[in-house]
């Protein structure tokens, strides 16, 4: 009997603590719809890209190829589902540069000749130029709930959270020697950055 009282008191305190707290009760997501799902998903992606940028000063090739994959999905869907998906042709042209760049590199062996180098550079610039437009369209397709968030403030809050996480990811990547060792990169299958810490120094 005496053992039940502390358990009962702990349960009552837990209920009191959770009362009025949306995070502890798990009701915050219900009130904010897709806010947490969008902010969490976008932040995880932004952290990964920014951390890599901080450690290696580049975006890994497979991240760049994701643009090709997503562009190909949109183009193929627009062609194969043209009776159900109505779009302007100039919109589809925005998705062509990443695909054309990959096809050029597939068709023309390295080292590239003068013409190949010029075409590669032009397509590289074009692929970078369309990134904002392609990203905006993909956001509407992949995260439509973001655009239905009530009010501008919630949308700006999501953007601010993702930007803050990306900045933190870049800084952690830049000062990686304070957080992880060279061995951690090797175990993850990545090339250790030049400023990584050896195990004995960590």
């Amino acid at each position: 009997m005496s053992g039940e009282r502390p358990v009962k008191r702990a349960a009552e305190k837990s209920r009191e603590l959770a009362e009025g707290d949306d995070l502890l009760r798990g009701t915050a997501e219900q009130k904010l719809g897709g806010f947490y799902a969008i902010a969490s998903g976008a932040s995880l992606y932004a952290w990964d890209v920014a951390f890599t940028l901080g450690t290696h000063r580049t975006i890994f090739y497979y991240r760049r190829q994701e643009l090709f994959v997503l562009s190909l999905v949109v183009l193929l869907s627009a062609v194969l589902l043209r009776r159900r998906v109505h779009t302007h042709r100039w919109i589809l042209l925005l998705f062509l540069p990443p695909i054309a760049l990959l096809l050029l590199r597939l068709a023309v062996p390295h080292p590239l000749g003068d013409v190949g180098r010029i075409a590669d550079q032009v397509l590289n610039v074009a692929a970078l130029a369309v990134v904002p437009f392609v990203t905006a369209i993909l956001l509407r397709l992949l995260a439509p709930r973001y655009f239905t968030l009530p009010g501008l403030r919630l949308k700006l809050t999501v953007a601010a959270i993702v930007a803050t996480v990306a900045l933190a990811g870049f800084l952690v990547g830049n000062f990686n020697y304070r957080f992880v060792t060279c061995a951690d990169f090797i175990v993850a299958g990545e090339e250790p950055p030049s400023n990584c810490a050896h195990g004995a120094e960590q």
Side-chain angles (χ1 to χ4, degrees), residues 92-102 123 126-128 130:
L92 296 180
L93 289 176
L94 297 174
F95 292 87
L96 284 178
I99 295 171
L101 181 61
L102 202 76
L123 287 174
L128 286 173
V130 300

Side-chain angles (χ1 to χ4, degrees), residues 8-56:
K8 196 181 247 185
R9 280 199 298 270
E12 287 174 2
K13 283 186 179 179
S14 178
R15 275 196 300 272
E16 289 172 9
L17 187 64
E19 194 64 38
D21 190 305
D22 289 324
L23 293 178
L24 290 176
R25 288 190 302 158
T27 56
E29 201 280 335
Q30 296 170 14
K31 291 185 176 182
L32 290 173
F35 176 87
Y36 285 104
I38 296 164
S40 300
S43 294
L44 285 170
Y45 186 84
W47 174 280
D48 184 60
V49 172
F51 179 83
T52 302
L53 199 58
T55 55
H56 294 86

